[in-house]
Amino acid sequence: MPTTDYSIRLATPADLAPARAVMLDTIYRDFGTGYVPRWHGDIIDLAGAYVDPVRHTLLVAVDGEGEVVGTGALDSRGPAHPPNPAHVAERYPSGVTAQLRRVYVRPEHRRRGLARRLVDELMAFAVADGGYRAVYLHTDPAVTGAEPFWRSLAKVVHDEREDVGGGQGIVHFDVPLGSAAP
């Protein structure tokens, strides 16, 4: 019987390798891209990207046996142009934008509210920081369940599928800062 006993917590040094495994498994399986350094370099250096910087964070979802089954990260880097549309990069400047990243849950643990719990904790972190004016994320709508999940929590600010040529096919979202769980 699958466990329903999960906890969400800050990643510890011992969690970094299993968190990296969740992330790499996701980009290979769900995205179908495999590791692309310019897109996924943060995964290799999780401490440098999310643990060490004061305004960044890395969370893990851990099952009842202590296994890392989900991840969620936040950093203070806005979306870059290129590859993102210029108006999106201008709307979400680095330093005052919290970007949600790497919200991934292993397939056998999905549909149990873990991603939503991770996002709630990330939003609480962004609010507590006090310096963020906006929360941004982007997703690949080709990933099963990703677009409906984010639409349930955030507002679409740009859908590249509507661009001439389809852009990268990415959907860009704004998450209301007030959406953090009490």
Side-chain angles (χ1 to χ4, degrees), residues 6 8 10 18 41-42 73-74 85 87 128 138 143 162 179:
Y6 295 100
I8 307 292
L10 283 172
D42 60 306
L74 178 147
H87 71 93
H138 66 266
V143 175
E162 298 170 1
S179 70

Side-chain angles (χ1 to χ4, degrees), residues 12-37:
T12 67
D15 295 326
L16 298 183
R20 184 177 303 106
V22 169
M23 293 175 188
L24 289 172
D25 288 350
T26 300
I27 64 173
Y28 278 90
R29 179 193 55 247
D30 294 345
F31 296 173
T33 60
Y35 176 77
V36 178

Side-chain angles (χ1 to χ4, degrees), residues 22-23 26-27 31 43 69-72 102-106 118:
V22 169
M23 293 175 188
T26 300
I27 64 173
F31 296 173
I43 295 173
V69 300
T71 61
R102 311 296 177 211
V103 179
Y104 303 146
V105 176
R106 290 205 178 273
L118 285 160

Side-chain angles (χ1 to χ4, degrees), residues 95-157:
V96 294
T97 298
Q99 185 168 174
L100 301 184
R101 298 179 177 265
R102 311 296 177 211
V103 179
Y104 303 146
V105 176
R106 290 205 178 273
E108 62 274 20
H109 296 275
R110 292 179 183 162
R111 309 292 306 161
R112 298 180 189 174
L114 290 175
R116 189 169 298 267
R117 287 177 58 196
L118 285 160
V119 170
D120 286 347
E121 292 292 328
L122 292 169
M123 294 301 295
F125 179 90
V127 168
D129 175 85
Y132 292 119
R133 293 193 323 237
V135 179
Y136 163 86
L137 70 100
H138 66 266
T139 195
D140 181 346
V143 175
T144 303
E147 185 177 3
F149 172 75
W150 290 115
R151 282 183 181 270
S152 76
L153 298 173
K155 176 185 168 201
V156 173
V157 293

